[in-house]
Amino acid sequence: MLKNRFFWIAAIAGLIIDRVTKLIVVKTMALTIPPQEIQVIPGVLHWVYVVNYGAAFGILAGSPILRWLSLIASVALMAWAWFGRRMARWEQWGYGLILSGALGNGIDRFVLGHVVDFIKVPFVYVPYPNPFPRFVWIQFPIFNFADIFINLGIICLLIGIYRTPDPPKNSN
């Protein structure tokens, strides 16, 4: 049986979802200024084809370090899952999802020189505590499924910290 199989399932499934959705966006939407916007759920969820030459929020835009960081992180995660210990189930899901995101955006950086982003949540309602608790609307950056999977992977790892470990397999 394959060691850390949930890691590999999460990594492969996430990468396929990321690559297919980006391919659909690139083939069906024009890269325009201002960007073309399709309202999937008006006011809640829109598709907007844009490119990002940096990391989150455009950090390190144009720097070649991002492509190499994603490659190193991807190789390290795969080596750890293959040669390392059997991980707990939440760790497998978490690291597998993080790998799918790192590979998805890394492939974009190596092949295209930028990352394809297309998911837009026009405004997010967040609590604002000062001076009295109230809510404000903020404009959230445009992102893709690779970004979602990286964040879901982190959430899985946080859940795994607070969960009891998987019971050891009976060797009989």
Side-chain angles (χ1 to χ4, degrees), residues 6-169:
F6 296 115
F7 169 91
W8 298 106
I9 290 168
I12 293 167
L15 182 61
I16 290 169
I17 291 167
D18 180 66
R19 300 311 306 158
V20 168
T21 55
K22 287 176 180 175
L23 180 65
I24 290 169
V25 166
V26 169
K27 294 295 183 187
T28 61
M29 295 182 73
L31 185 57
T32 60
I33 299 175
Q36 175 186 358
E37 191 162 331
I38 299 171
Q39 296 186 20
V40 179
I41 303 172
V44 177
L45 178 65
H46 301 182
W47 285 169
V48 179
Y49 178 19
V50 297
V51 296
N52 184 355
Y53 291 94
F57 306 101
I59 297 169
L60 296 174
S63 173
I65 195 167
L66 292 173
R67 70 172 58 170
W68 297 107
L69 281 175
S70 62
L71 176 65
I72 291 167
S74 298
V75 169
L77 284 169
M78 287 186 281
W80 188 30
W82 190 263
F83 298 111
R85 65 174 172 77
R86 183 185 178 278
M87 295 181 242
R89 197 165 284 168
W90 282 104
E91 283 183 281
Q92 290 184 48
W93 287 112
Y95 288 121
L97 288 167
I98 290 170
L99 174 62
S100 73
L103 280 174
N105 284 341
I107 290 169
D108 278 2
R109 287 187 179 101
F110 272 97
V111 173
L112 304 172
H114 58 263
V115 173
V116 173
D117 286 330
F118 61 92
I119 301 171
K120 179 180 179 183
V121 180
F123 292 96
V124 179
Y125 203 46
V126 296
Y128 183 75
N130 195 9
F132 300 105
R134 62 179 185 225
F135 289 90
V136 296
W137 292 98
I138 62 167
Q139 178 75 46
F140 200 76
I142 299 169
F143 53 98
N144 58 42
F145 278 100
D147 301 328
I148 292 171
F149 295 141
I150 290 169
N151 285 288
L152 286 176
I154 292 167
I155 291 168
C156 287
L157 294 176
L158 291 172
I159 291 170
I161 289 171
Y162 296 103
R163 302 268 310 171
T164 56
D166 292 344
K169 297 287 184 192

